[in-house]
Amino acid sequence: MQRFWESRFFRRFKRRAIEIANNTYFQIFTGILLCVHIGGLIISIFESNPENSASTIIQNWYQGIWWAFVTVFTIGYGDYFPITTGGRFVAVFIMVSGVALISLLTATISSAFVEQRIRKGQGLEKVKLKGH
């Protein structure tokens, strides 16, 4: 009997997983998700203080995720914000990372459109050989 990791299915699966992992869009979206989740976790650690029960304090991980999502995508509702010094340092890092990642995503999408337009202008687009 053939071992699973030597099987045809596993080789195809591994090849496809490597293709997906090397995809630029996948890498950017993974970076955004990591930034939101790790940032939400760290900010909730810095900001959770049982002594202070103000409604603007990030008290748990879910509020931290919400704050990080709103911050990364530069929406900035202002319903939650960090009040500790450590939380503010994390906030600056999340803000800069968010702007960089969203800019990278926008630049990648724009680059794809520009590349398509250049290919079309040079006559290098794909040719349909059937059904034309």
Side-chain angles (χ1 to χ4, degrees):
M1 178 148 223
Q2 191 178 29
R3 294 183 185 166
F4 176 73
W5 53 85
E6 295 172 353
S7 68
R8 192 170 168 198
F9 169 78
F10 182 74
R11 284 185 302 220
R12 284 184 184 173
F13 178 78
K14 183 179 174 183
R15 189 175 336 125
R16 185 68 180 142
I18 290 171
E19 287 174 9
I20 291 171
N22 289 332
N23 185 329
T24 305
Y25 296 108
F26 177 78
Q27 292 172 350
I28 294 170
F29 281 119
T30 302
I32 291 171
L33 285 175
L34 283 173
C35 187
V36 167
H37 284 282
I38 293 172
L41 177 66
I42 293 172
I43 200 75
S44 66
I45 291 169
F46 275 112
E47 295 296 318
S48 61
N49 185 1
E51 297 171 4
N52 200 349
S53 62
S55 63
T56 58
I57 295 177
I58 302 163
Q59 296 175 349
N60 57 35
W61 185 60
Y62 300 112
Q63 290 173 343
I65 293 287
W66 172 253
W67 172 84
F69 182 82
V70 167
T71 303
V72 164
F73 285 97
T74 65
I75 298 167
Y77 286 132
D79 51 353
Y80 299 112
F81 52 89
I83 58 171
T84 63
T85 304
R88 289 181 179 176
F89 280 120
V90 172
V92 169
F93 178 75
I94 296 296
M95 289 174 201
V96 171
S97 299
V99 168
L101 287 168
I102 299 302
S103 300
L104 184 62
L105 178 63
T106 304
T108 303
I109 293 170
S110 299
S111 175
F113 283 124
V114 169
E115 181 183 358
Q116 181 184 14
R117 183 122 191 206
I118 289 172
R119 286 182 173 273
K120 187 176 181 182
Q122 293 177 349
L124 297 174
E125 69 270 2
K126 295 181 181 179
V127 179
K128 291 183 182 178
L129 297 176
K130 295 181 179 179
H132 59 282

